[in-house]
CSV table of all heavy atoms in Angstrom, one decimal:
chain,number,residue,atom,x,y,z
A,169,SER,N,-111.2,-160.2,-66.6
A,169,SER,CA,-110.1,-159.5,-66.3
A,169,SER,C,-109.7,-158.5,-67.5
A,169,SER,O,-110.2,-158.7,-68.7
A,169,SER,CB,-108.9,-160.4,-65.9
A,169,SER,OG,-108.5,-161.1,-67.0
A,170,TRP,N,-108.8,-157.7,-67.4
A,170,TRP,CA,-108.3,-156.7,-68.4
A,170,TRP,C,-107.9,-157.4,-69.7
A,170,TRP,O,-107.9,-156.7,-70.7
A,170,TRP,CB,-107.4,-155.7,-67.8
A,170,TRP,CG,-106.0,-156.3,-67.5
A,170,TRP,CD1,-105.6,-156.7,-66.3
A,170,TRP,CD2,-104.8,-156.3,-68.3
A,170,TRP,NE1,-104.3,-157.1,-66.3
A,170,TRP,CE2,-103.8,-156.9,-67.6
A,170,TRP,CE3,-104.6,-156.1,-69.6
A,170,TRP,CZ2,-102.5,-157.2,-68.1
A,170,TRP,CZ3,-103.4,-156.4,-70.2
A,170,TRP,CH2,-102.4,-156.8,-69.4
A,171,ASP,N,-107.5,-158.7,-69.6
A,171,ASP,CA,-107.0,-159.3,-70.8
A,171,ASP,C,-108.1,-160.0,-71.5
A,171,ASP,O,-107.9,-160.8,-72.4
A,171,ASP,CB,-105.9,-160.2,-70.6
A,171,ASP,CG,-106.2,-161.4,-69.6
A,171,ASP,OD1,-107.3,-161.3,-68.9
A,171,ASP,OD2,-105.4,-162.4,-69.6
A,172,GLY,N,-109.4,-160.0,-70.9
A,172,GLY,CA,-110.6,-160.6,-71.6
A,172,GLY,C,-110.9,-161.9,-71.1
A,172,GLY,O,-111.9,-162.6,-71.5
A,173,ARG,N,-110.1,-162.5,-70.1
A,173,ARG,CA,-110.3,-163.8,-69.6
A,173,ARG,C,-111.5,-163.7,-68.6
A,173,ARG,O,-111.4,-162.9,-67.6
A,173,ARG,CB,-109.1,-164.4,-68.9
A,173,ARG,CG,-109.3,-165.8,-68.5
A,173,ARG,CD,-107.9,-166.4,-68.1
A,173,ARG,NE,-108.2,-167.7,-67.5
A,173,ARG,CZ,-107.2,-168.3,-66.8
A,173,ARG,NH1,-106.1,-167.8,-66.6
A,173,ARG,NH2,-107.5,-169.6,-66.4
A,174,ALA,N,-112.5,-164.5,-68.7
A,174,ALA,CA,-113.7,-164.5,-67.9
A,174,ALA,C,-113.4,-165.0,-66.5
A,174,ALA,O,-112.5,-166.0,-66.3
A,174,ALA,CB,-114.8,-165.4,-68.4
A,175,TYR,N,-113.9,-164.4,-65.4
A,175,TYR,CA,-113.8,-164.9,-64.1
A,175,TYR,C,-114.6,-166.1,-63.9
A,175,TYR,O,-115.8,-166.1,-64.4
A,175,TYR,CB,-114.2,-163.8,-63.0
A,175,TYR,CG,-113.3,-162.6,-63.0
A,175,TYR,CD1,-113.8,-161.4,-63.1
A,175,TYR,CD2,-112.0,-162.8,-62.8
A,175,TYR,CE1,-113.1,-160.2,-63.0
A,175,TYR,CE2,-111.2,-161.6,-62.8
A,175,TYR,CZ,-111.7,-160.4,-62.8
A,175,TYR,OH,-110.9,-159.2,-62.8
A,176,GLU,N,-114.0,-167.2,-63.3
A,176,GLU,CA,-114.8,-168.4,-63.3
A,176,GLU,C,-115.6,-168.5,-62.0
A,176,GLU,O,-116.8,-168.9,-62.1
A,176,GLU,CB,-113.8,-169.6,-63.3
A,176,GLU,CG,-113.1,-169.6,-64.8
A,176,GLU,CD,-112.1,-170.8,-64.9
A,176,GLU,OE1,-112.2,-171.7,-64.0
A,176,GLU,OE2,-111.3,-170.7,-65.9
A,177,ALA,N,-115.1,-168.2,-60.8
A,177,ALA,CA,-115.8,-168.5,-59.6
A,177,ALA,C,-115.0,-167.8,-58.5
A,177,ALA,O,-113.9,-167.4,-58.5
A,177,ALA,CB,-116.0,-169.9,-59.2
A,178,TYR,N,-115.8,-167.5,-57.3
A,178,TYR,CA,-115.2,-167.1,-56.1
A,178,TYR,C,-114.7,-168.3,-55.3
A,178,TYR,O,-115.3,-169.4,-55.6
A,178,TYR,CB,-116.2,-166.3,-55.2
A,178,TYR,CG,-116.5,-164.9,-55.9
A,178,TYR,CD1,-117.8,-164.7,-56.4
A,178,TYR,CD2,-115.6,-164.0,-55.8
A,178,TYR,CE1,-118.1,-163.5,-56.9
A,178,TYR,CE2,-115.9,-162.7,-56.3
A,178,TYR,CZ,-117.2,-162.5,-56.9
A,178,TYR,OH,-117.5,-161.2,-57.4
A,179,PRO,N,-113.8,-168.2,-54.5
A,179,PRO,CA,-113.3,-169.3,-53.6
A,179,PRO,C,-114.4,-169.8,-52.8
A,179,PRO,O,-115.3,-168.9,-52.4
A,179,PRO,CB,-112.1,-168.8,-52.9
A,179,PRO,CG,-112.3,-167.3,-52.9
A,179,PRO,CD,-113.0,-166.9,-54.1
A,180,PRO,N,-114.5,-171.0,-52.4
A,180,PRO,CA,-115.5,-171.5,-51.4
A,180,PRO,C,-115.2,-171.0,-50.0
A,180,PRO,O,-114.1,-170.5,-49.6
A,180,PRO,CB,-115.3,-173.1,-51.5
A,180,PRO,CG,-114.0,-173.2,-51.9
A,180,PRO,CD,-113.5,-172.1,-52.8
A,181,GLY,N,-116.3,-171.0,-49.2
A,181,GLY,CA,-116.2,-170.5,-47.9
A,181,GLY,C,-117.0,-169.1,-47.6
A,181,GLY,O,-117.3,-168.6,-48.6
A,182,PRO,N,-116.9,-168.7,-46.4
A,182,PRO,CA,-117.6,-167.3,-46.2
A,182,PRO,C,-116.8,-166.2,-46.8
A,182,PRO,O,-115.5,-166.2,-46.8
A,182,PRO,CB,-117.4,-167.2,-44.7
A,182,PRO,CG,-117.2,-168.6,-44.1
A,182,PRO,CD,-116.6,-169.4,-45.2
A,183,PRO,N,-117.4,-165.3,-47.5
A,183,PRO,CA,-116.8,-164.2,-48.1
A,183,PRO,C,-115.9,-163.4,-47.2
A,183,PRO,O,-116.2,-163.1,-46.0
A,183,PRO,CB,-117.9,-163.4,-48.7
A,183,PRO,CG,-119.1,-164.2,-48.7
A,183,PRO,CD,-118.9,-165.2,-47.6
A,184,LEU,N,-114.8,-162.9,-47.7
A,184,LEU,CA,-113.9,-162.0,-46.9
A,184,LEU,C,-113.5,-160.9,-47.9
A,184,LEU,O,-112.7,-161.1,-48.9
A,184,LEU,CB,-112.7,-162.7,-46.4
A,184,LEU,CG,-111.6,-161.8,-45.7
A,184,LEU,CD1,-112.2,-161.3,-44.4
A,184,LEU,CD2,-110.3,-162.6,-45.5
A,185,LEU,N,-113.9,-159.7,-47.6
A,185,LEU,CA,-113.5,-158.5,-48.5
A,185,LEU,C,-112.4,-157.9,-47.9
A,185,LEU,O,-112.3,-157.6,-46.7
A,185,LEU,CB,-114.8,-157.6,-48.7
A,185,LEU,CG,-116.0,-158.1,-49.1
A,185,LEU,CD1,-117.2,-157.1,-49.2
A,185,LEU,CD2,-115.9,-158.8,-50.5
A,186,THR,N,-111.4,-157.5,-48.8
A,186,THR,CA,-110.2,-156.8,-48.4
A,186,THR,C,-110.0,-155.6,-49.3
A,186,THR,O,-110.0,-155.7,-50.5
A,186,THR,CB,-109.0,-157.8,-48.4
A,186,THR,OG1,-109.2,-158.9,-47.6
A,186,THR,CG2,-107.7,-157.0,-47.9
A,187,VAL,N,-109.7,-154.5,-48.7
A,187,VAL,CA,-109.3,-153.3,-49.5
A,187,VAL,C,-108.0,-152.7,-49.0
A,187,VAL,O,-107.8,-152.4,-47.8
A,187,VAL,CB,-110.5,-152.1,-49.3
A,187,VAL,CG1,-110.1,-150.9,-50.2
A,187,VAL,CG2,-111.8,-152.6,-49.8
A,188,LEU,N,-107.1,-152.6,-50.0
A,188,LEU,CA,-105.7,-152.2,-49.6
A,188,LEU,C,-105.4,-150.8,-50.3
A,188,LEU,O,-105.9,-150.7,-51.5
A,188,LEU,CB,-104.6,-153.3,-50.1
A,188,LEU,CG,-104.8,-154.6,-49.5
A,188,LEU,CD1,-103.7,-155.4,-50.1
A,188,LEU,CD2,-104.7,-154.6,-48.0
A,189,ARG,N,-104.6,-150.0,-49.7
A,189,ARG,CA,-104.1,-148.8,-50.4
A,189,ARG,C,-102.6,-149.1,-50.6
A,189,ARG,O,-101.8,-149.4,-49.6
A,189,ARG,CB,-104.2,-147.6,-49.4
A,189,ARG,CG,-103.6,-146.3,-50.1
A,189,ARG,CD,-103.7,-145.1,-49.1
A,189,ARG,NE,-102.9,-144.0,-49.6
A,189,ARG,CZ,-103.4,-142.9,-49.9
A,189,ARG,NH1,-104.7,-142.6,-49.6
A,189,ARG,NH2,-102.6,-141.9,-50.3
A,190,ILE,N,-102.1,-149.2,-51.8
A,190,ILE,CA,-100.9,-149.6,-52.1
A,190,ILE,C,-100.1,-148.5,-52.8
A,190,ILE,O,-100.6,-147.9,-53.8
A,190,ILE,CB,-100.8,-150.8,-53.1
A,190,ILE,CG1,-101.7,-152.1,-52.4
A,190,ILE,CG2,-99.4,-151.3,-53.5
A,190,ILE,CD1,-101.9,-153.2,-53.4
A,191,THR,N,-99.0,-148.1,-52.2
A,191,THR,CA,-98.2,-147.0,-52.8
A,191,THR,C,-96.9,-147.7,-53.4
A,191,THR,O,-96.1,-148.3,-52.7
A,191,THR,CB,-97.8,-146.0,-51.8
A,191,THR,OG1,-99.0,-145.4,-51.2
A,191,THR,CG2,-97.0,-144.9,-52.3
A,192,ILE,N,-96.6,-147.4,-54.7
A,192,ILE,CA,-95.5,-147.9,-55.3
A,192,ILE,C,-94.6,-146.8,-55.9
A,192,ILE,O,-95.1,-145.9,-56.5
A,192,ILE,CB,-95.9,-148.9,-56.6
A,192,ILE,CG1,-96.9,-149.8,-56.1
A,192,ILE,CG2,-94.7,-149.4,-57.3
A,192,ILE,CD1,-97.5,-150.6,-57.3
A,193,PRO,N,-93.3,-146.7,-55.4
A,193,PRO,CA,-92.5,-145.5,-55.8
A,193,PRO,C,-92.1,-145.5,-57.3
A,193,PRO,O,-92.3,-146.5,-57.9
A,193,PRO,CB,-91.3,-145.7,-54.9
A,193,PRO,CG,-91.3,-147.1,-54.5
A,193,PRO,CD,-92.7,-147.7,-54.6
A,194,PRO,N,-91.6,-144.3,-57.8
A,194,PRO,CA,-91.2,-144.2,-59.1
A,194,PRO,C,-90.1,-145.3,-59.5
A,194,PRO,O,-89.4,-145.6,-58.6
A,194,PRO,CB,-90.6,-142.8,-59.3
A,194,PRO,CG,-91.2,-142.1,-58.1
A,194,PRO,CD,-91.5,-143.1,-57.1
A,195,HIS,N,-90.1,-145.7,-60.8
A,195,HIS,CA,-89.1,-146.6,-61.3
A,195,HIS,C,-89.0,-147.9,-60.5
A,195,HIS,O,-88.0,-148.4,-60.2
A,195,HIS,CB,-87.7,-145.9,-61.3
A,195,HIS,CG,-87.7,-144.6,-62.0
A,195,HIS,ND1,-87.7,-144.5,-63.4
A,195,HIS,CD2,-87.6,-143.4,-61.6
A,195,HIS,CE1,-87.8,-143.3,-63.8
A,195,HIS,NE2,-87.7,-142.5,-62.7
A,196,SER,N,-90.2,-148.5,-60.3
A,196,SER,CA,-90.3,-149.7,-59.5
A,196,SER,C,-90.9,-150.8,-60.5
A,196,SER,O,-91.8,-150.5,-61.3
A,196,SER,CB,-91.1,-149.6,-58.3
A,196,SER,OG,-90.5,-148.7,-57.4
A,197,ALA,N,-90.5,-152.1,-60.2
A,197,ALA,CA,-91.3,-153.2,-60.9
A,197,ALA,C,-91.6,-154.1,-59.9
A,197,ALA,O,-90.7,-154.7,-59.1
A,197,ALA,CB,-90.3,-153.8,-62.0
A,198,LEU,N,-92.9,-154.4,-59.7
A,198,LEU,CA,-93.3,-155.5,-58.7
A,198,LEU,C,-93.0,-156.8,-59.2
A,198,LEU,O,-92.7,-157.0,-60.4
A,198,LEU,CB,-94.8,-155.4,-58.6
A,198,LEU,CG,-95.4,-154.1,-58.0
A,198,LEU,CD1,-96.9,-154.2,-57.9
A,198,LEU,CD2,-94.9,-153.8,-56.6
A,199,PRO,N,-92.7,-157.8,-58.3
A,199,PRO,CA,-92.4,-159.2,-58.8
A,199,PRO,C,-93.6,-159.7,-59.6
A,199,PRO,O,-94.8,-159.3,-59.4
A,199,PRO,CB,-92.3,-159.9,-57.4
A,199,PRO,CG,-92.2,-158.9,-56.3
A,199,PRO,CD,-92.9,-157.6,-56.8
A,200,TRP,N,-93.3,-160.7,-60.4
A,200,TRP,CA,-94.4,-161.3,-61.2
A,200,TRP,C,-95.2,-162.1,-60.1
A,200,TRP,O,-94.6,-162.8,-59.2
A,200,TRP,CB,-93.7,-162.3,-62.2
A,200,TRP,CG,-93.0,-161.7,-63.3
A,200,TRP,CD1,-91.7,-161.6,-63.5
A,200,TRP,CD2,-93.6,-160.9,-64.4
A,200,TRP,NE1,-91.3,-160.8,-64.6
A,200,TRP,CE2,-92.5,-160.4,-65.2
A,200,TRP,CE3,-94.9,-160.7,-64.8
A,200,TRP,CZ2,-92.8,-159.8,-66.4
A,200,TRP,CZ3,-95.1,-160.0,-66.0
A,200,TRP,CH2,-94.1,-159.5,-66.7
A,201,HIS,N,-96.5,-162.1,-60.2
A,201,HIS,CA,-97.3,-162.6,-59.3
A,201,HIS,C,-98.7,-163.1,-60.0
A,201,HIS,O,-98.9,-162.6,-61.1
A,201,HIS,CB,-97.6,-161.8,-58.1
A,201,HIS,CG,-98.3,-160.5,-58.4
A,201,HIS,ND1,-97.6,-159.4,-58.9
A,201,HIS,CD2,-99.6,-160.1,-58.3
A,201,HIS,CE1,-98.4,-158.4,-59.2
A,201,HIS,NE2,-99.6,-158.8,-58.8
Side-chain angles (χ1 to χ4, degrees):
S169 62
W170 66 268
D171 67 341
R173 187 172 174 191
Y175 292 130
E176 295 179 14
Y178 289 108
L184 178 67
L185 303 180
T186 305
V187 179
L188 302 179
R189 179 184 170 122
I190 301 172
T191 302
I192 306 169
H195 305 289
S196 297
L198 297 178
W200 293 104
H201 63 280

